[in-house]
Structure formats: structure tokens, C-alpha cells
Amino acid sequence: MGTKNQQTQLHPYAQKVLEELKQRYPWEQEFLQAVGEVLESIDGLLKQEVRYQKERILERIVEPERIITFKVPWRDSQGNIQVNRAYRVEFNSAIGPYKGGLRFHSSVTLSSLKFLGFEQIFKNSLTGLPMGGGKGGSDFDLKGKNEIDVMNFCQSFMTELQRHIGPDTDVPAGDIGVGTREIGYLFGQYKRIRNTFDGVLTGKGLNWGGSLVRPEATGHGCVYFVEEMLKTRKQEVAGKICAVSGFGNVSWGVVKKINDLGGKVVTLSGPDGFIYDKDGVKGEKIDYMLEMRASGRDRVEDYARNFSVPFYPGKRPWGVKCDIAFPCAIQNELNEENAKELLNNGCFCIAEGANMPVNLEAAKLLLEKKILYSPGKASNAGGVACSGLEMSQNSMRLKWTREEVDLRLKQIMKNIHDDCVRTAEQYGLPGNYVCGANMAGFKKVADTMIELGLIA
Ligand code: NDP
Ligand code: 2IT
């Protein structure tokens, strides 16, 4: 898997564990991909910390501490009975309560949630806040569902989930298909059944315990991270042409902050294709993104119609000329072919807003070419970091101002950036943000697992 240029390879111990995992879960492709990426990039750490092998840290860290599987029976607005499948993967609680989002999307399987939960362990560790890793969700498809459907589904989902979570045990939040509206129905049902008002979910509404800045935190944090990466090459976001994919929560935050800093966003995408707006996605067009998302129509073509710009059906936005690319939609949405196109067009910085949007082959190429390339667990950590700040505010029963939260978010993103850079340098891989992020995130969790004794 590794290449000489990149100077990374799979340590024999890591290779053995990965092989065993492939045999045990051959159908969990996304999970195996996420584990493969982490194990390949921590070679230097495994060589240095021989006790990890003695303590069988890899065998232990790739198995979730607990997986809850349940069904969600619910009645839709037409009176029909529906059944969905749902999961909560409580992956690792070494450094804090399980923390991570809930995804409602037709593509959700245990494999996708295990990959997301695994990534979340190291992302949360990088934030410097006391949060373990978890992820959950359901194959519930929001497409074509009305308010009554969504509320009924959320209430039934939480009727089961509430027995497993709590503000000091497991704290879910949003992800694809789960925004403030869904968190509201979930929080309401939790409060009703448990008869407690506590910080059990993050991404809450401002009137009922939510934090300022949380809605835009993932996107803003991602652009703060890019500012830090650009500084290492004496560059800045101002004046840069940016290609963004998706049109959901993360994309919206990214677009807003790029505009604030004087950059220009020329693309958005959906499952139906992408739009190209040469004048830039700005002003009322940014607000329109929220409308598109809320409409549940699952398409970005509406933007093209509304603002008379070209729409490219069935295509991804990676063939356009840009300086910076922000994949913000879904996993594996940028392959090797796309990476080549971006590089040929002069793109020199790619920041993952989504989780694992760049596949393994594309990531390898970007690392070889030594452009600025950040993995999601570093550059999209602003969302969960702000969730951590929401938990702190809930525990203190206080609410910080927008400026205070934003300042902390910015500082956390700078710390993550510097941590990645320092760690990559320490292990002889300067500029490799993938190795830097994985080694820095992994070390803290692995050391803690040893210090707490053989409990997980
Ligand atoms: P949203 O549900 O708000 O948006 C997801 C977006 O991606 C939608 O526009 C969706 O369209 C679009 N999309 C889905 N499939 C495709 C596809 N095949 N091609 C192009 N676009 C597609 O989710 P978020 O913005 O919250 O999440 C986006 C990514 O960011 C995910 O990978 C998530 O895990 C990650 N992330 C989210 C965080 C958060 O705080 N929300 C934090 C860190 C990472 P549609 O739904 O209509 O299919
Ligand atoms: O992938 C992610 O980091 C999220 N969806 C946010 C998780 C959270 O707990 O805020």
C-alpha cells in the first residue's frame, strides 16, 4: 500500500491486524478503508512505541466497545406502518464519553457507521477536549418525508436510543440528514421519557441549550484550518477560487467563511450533479443553500434554475479550474481521476469537509505530489469541537457569546493544525497532514488505554 515517495508503509504488526480484520468483516469495505488509512499512516509511531504491540492496542482499538442495533417501527403521515434499521456504535471511551453524530441516509449500514465511529475516535482526540468516539444513525430516507413523518420517526428512534445514552455516557449530534429540526424532536422525546433536561445531544436550538456558532462550526473550522495551511506557504484565502461539493450544513459553513475572508466559491453539488457559478456563490445565494437543504428535494439543479448558471447533470465538480477544493458531501466522492484533474488545473490545496471524501488511491497521489492536503479528522473537527464547547456550557449552565465560542473554535483549529505539522515533522514526514493527524490523535488514545488497564 505504501510508496517510497510518501515514506509510509504498513508495519508488520499493523498488516497482521488488518488482514485479520479483512477476514472477519470482508463486507465492511468502508470500515476496512478507514482502518487501512490509519494503520498505514502510524508506522513511525508503532516502531517507536513497541509496547503498543505487547498491549495488543491495535487488536483492541479496531473493535467497538459496544454496538447497539435496533429497529425503528413508526407510522407515517398516510397511516402506514414503516420499519427502519438503526445503530449506535460506541467505539471508544478511553478519553471521554462516546461522542459523535447521527446519520439518517438511505446508504447507512453498520459498515458506514463503524468507519465513521472509528474516524471519530482520532478526530475527537485531536480537538484536545475530553471526548471518546461514537457514531449512529439509520437507513431512514428523508426524501419525500413531511414534518409528521420526521417527528414520528425521530420519536420512535429515541424511544429505544434513550436507554443507552446520557450526558456523561454517550452524546450524539447531527450528521447527514440530521440538523436542528431532527435534534429537536430527538431531544424532546429524550426529555419526555427520562424526565431530565440535560446536555445529552449537541447541535441543539439556541432556546434549549444549543451553542452559538455550532451550525456553522464545521464549515468555519474547515476554512480556519485552510488559513493555517496556506500560511505555511505564505498564502491566504483572499482572492482564491474554490470548488465546493455538497450543499448541506458543512458546505454552507465553508461557503460563508470563504466569502467572509475574500475568496470565491464557484461550485456546489448534489446527488444530481453540480452547478458552476462564475460570479461566485455569495450573498442571497448562500441563504438559498439553506432553502434547498430544507426543501428535502435532494437536488442542486434548483440553484441553476434560480440564478441562471450552468448545471452539469451526473457530474462532480472536480474538473473545474480552482486553487482550493473542499469535498463536503459524502465519503469516496473524489477518486484518483478527479485528483489528477484538480492537480492538472493548478489546485494546490484540498481540505476534507466531509468524512473520508477522498478515496485511498487519490489520497496517495495527493501526498506524493506534496500539495496541501488535510484529512477530515483534522479539517472537519470544528463541528465536534464546538459540540464539546456546547457540552461545557450545558454543564456550567451558562451560555457564551458568539465571539467567545468563535475565538475558542479558531484556537482549537490552530492547535490541531500545529499538532499535525509538529507530529509529521517529528516522524520525518514534513507536510504530511494525514500521518500527522493520525499519529497525534492515535497516541493520546492508545496511551490512555494502557494507563486505564485492560478494560477495553
Ligand atoms: P447534510 O445532510 O447537511 O448535507 C449532505 C450533503 O451532501 C447534502 O447536500 C446531500 O444531498 C449531499 N450529498 C449526499 N450524497 C451526495 C452525493 N453522492 N454527491 C453529492 N452530494 C451528495 O450533511 P452535512 O453537511 O452535515 O455532512 C456532510 C459531510 O460532512 C458528511 O461526510 C459528514 O459526515 C461530514 N461532517 C459533518 C459534520 C457536522 O457537524 N454536520 C461534522 C464533520 C463532518 P442529499 O442529502 O440531498 O442527498
Ligand atoms: O463527523 C462529525 O464530526 C460530526 N458529524 C459531528 C459530531 C458531533 O458530535 O458534533
Side-chain angles (χ1 to χ4, degrees), residues 200-266:
V200 69
L201 290 154
T202 59
K204 297 188 291 300
L206 289 178
N207 292 332
W208 34 281
S211 173
L212 285 158
V213 187
R214 177 63 188 90
E216 49 271 73
T218 311
H220 283 196
C222 189
V223 181
Y224 291 150
F225 193 91
V226 164
E227 276 283 84
E228 293 302 319
M229 288 206 288
L230 293 181
K231 272 189 209 161
T232 67
R233 301 202 178 172
K234 308 215 172 352
Q235 301 252 16
E236 55 183 13
V237 170
K240 297 291 182 297
I241 306 291
C242 306
V244 174
S245 66
F247 64 93
N249 172 266
V250 177
S251 315
W252 167 74
V254 163
V255 172
K256 221 152 66 72
K257 188 49 80 178
I258 292 171
N259 274 275
D260 288 351
L261 296 179
K264 190 205 250 187
V265 175
V266 292

Side-chain angles (χ1 to χ4, degrees), residues 103-105 107 115-116 120 123 135 141-143 173-179 214-215 217-219 245-252 269-273 292-293 296-300 315-317 327-331 333 352-357 376 379-384 387:
R103 177 175 289 193
F104 293 169
H105 196 263
S107 68
F115 120 63
L116 289 161
Q120 200 81 43
K123 181 195 306 195
K135 200 84 182 190
D141 188 357
L142 279 162
K143 221 180 309 154
D175 192 76
I176 292 183
V178 180
R214 177 63 188 90
T218 311
S245 66
F247 64 93
N249 172 266
V250 177
S251 315
W252 167 74
S269 74
D272 54 336
M292 276 198 296
R293 190 82 205 96
R297 273 162 59 81
D298 205 18
R299 49 200 276 188
V300 78
K315 294 237 153 50
R316 291 173 177 155
C328 297
I330 203 154
Q331 61 270 18
E333 56 163 317
E352 295 187 348
N355 287 306
M356 207 169 74
S379 45
N380 75 32
V384 74
S387 279

Side-chain angles (χ1 to χ4, degrees), residues 1 3 5-6 334-344 350 358-371 373:
M1 275 167 102
T3 68
N5 285 352
Q6 208 185 317
L334 200 162
N335 62 25
E336 193 176 4
E337 211 46 46
N338 304 138
K340 280 182 189 156
E341 277 183 299
L342 283 168
L343 292 167
N344 286 340
I350 298 182
V358 173
N359 77 10
L360 278 179
E361 293 75 29
K364 201 151 124 181
L365 179 69
L366 299 178
L367 291 172
E368 273 168 27
K369 298 293 177 195
K370 297 197 185 307
I371 66 159
Y373 163 50

